[in-house]
């Protein structure tokens, strides 16, 4: 058998293998009709027809904005919109939402958002001043901290929210008992109100 024949056989074999791999990939991804067996998003806590958190071109992940639990009015046209307050199996409650600047001027985020704890304030901008109140159990919940005393919330955000822009956020708290279905939310500069827990 000549060397030329061996090379041709190898090329044909490699082309066949590549074609088979592409066919398998298209079948796994659903091909052109989009009806394949892709990853089931329901395991991540989503519900059919509900928008999922999306990552924009600037690399930030934005919360699902299809649901609004509450809107809290702030100063100078700033609104705090809460989209979700969800328990997880680890005993946490995660609140997600966004600050919307509906005013005509840029809004400079105040230092009060960081809270009063000096150790936490040293970690930079955060939403550590956010608290939840369970009036039924007569308990107040503060934003959780990690082992380095950093708050488990959105941090290091830009100090200015431009007019018409939004700042997405999250904040994690200890989860109230399952019998608690709503909590009061307090944050500096905003009206106080209640949100439902899912």
């Amino acid at each position: 058998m000549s060397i030329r024949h061996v090379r041709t056989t190898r090329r044909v074999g490699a082309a066949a293998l590549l074609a088979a791999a592409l066919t398998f990939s298209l079948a796994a991804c659903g091909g052109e009709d989009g009806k394949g067996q892709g990853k089931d998003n329901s395991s991540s806590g989503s519900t059919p027809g509900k928008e999922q958190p999306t990552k924009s071109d600037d690399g930030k992940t934005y919360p699902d904005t299809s649901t609004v639990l509450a809107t809290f009015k702030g100063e100078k046209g700033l609104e705090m919109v809460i989209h979700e307050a969800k328990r997880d199996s680890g005993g946490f409650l995660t609140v997600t939402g966004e600050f919307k600047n509906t005013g005509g001027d840029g809004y400079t985020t105040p230092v009060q958002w960081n809270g009063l704890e000096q150790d936490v304030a040293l970690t930079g901008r955060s939403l550590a001043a956010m608290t939840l109140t369970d009036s039924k159990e007569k308990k107040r919940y503060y934003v959780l901290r990690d082992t380095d005393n950093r708050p488990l919330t959105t941090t290091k955000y830009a100090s200015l929210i431009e007019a018409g822009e939004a700042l997405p956020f999250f904040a994690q708290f200890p989860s109230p008992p399952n019998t608690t279905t709503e909590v009061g939310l307090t944050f500096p500069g905003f009206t106080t109100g209640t949100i439902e827990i899912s």
Side-chain angles (χ1 to χ4, degrees), residues 101-107 161-165:
N101 185 353
T102 63
D105 299 316
Y107 181 85
I161 304 174
E162 296 287 356
E165 296 292 323

Side-chain angles (χ1 to χ4, degrees), residues 35-146:
K35 296 178 182 177
Q37 300 298 317
K39 184 179 176 185
D40 181 8
N41 287 333
S42 62
S43 63
S44 64
S46 64
T47 55
K50 189 176 182 183
E51 294 178 23
Q52 292 302 303
T54 55
K55 190 167 263 191
S56 69
D57 294 337
D58 59 8
K60 295 178 183 174
T61 300
Y62 292 87
D64 169 16
T65 58
S66 62
T67 303
V68 174
L69 295 182
T71 300
F72 300 93
K73 300 290 185 182
E75 57 188 4
K76 299 179 182 177
L78 194 69
E79 295 179 349
M80 179 172 55
V81 181
I82 306 298
H83 295 298
E84 189 175 56
K86 187 174 182 179
R87 290 185 175 95
D88 67 20
S89 57
F92 305 118
L93 173 69
T94 303
V95 176
T96 57
E98 55 189 333
F99 295 102
K100 289 184 175 181
N101 185 353
T102 63
D105 299 316
Y107 181 85
T108 303
T109 58
V111 70
Q112 288 84 359
W113 287 12
N114 302 336
L116 299 175
E117 295 178 55
Q118 187 174 4
D119 290 342
V120 173
L122 291 174
T123 64
R125 291 188 195 95
S126 74
L127 308 178
M130 190 177 293
T131 59
L132 301 179
T133 305
D134 181 351
S135 58
K136 184 177 179 182
E137 297 289 326
K138 295 182 172 53
K139 289 184 178 178
R140 178 174 288 161
Y141 298 92
Y142 295 89
V143 172
L144 291 167
R145 277 67 162 149
D146 67 11

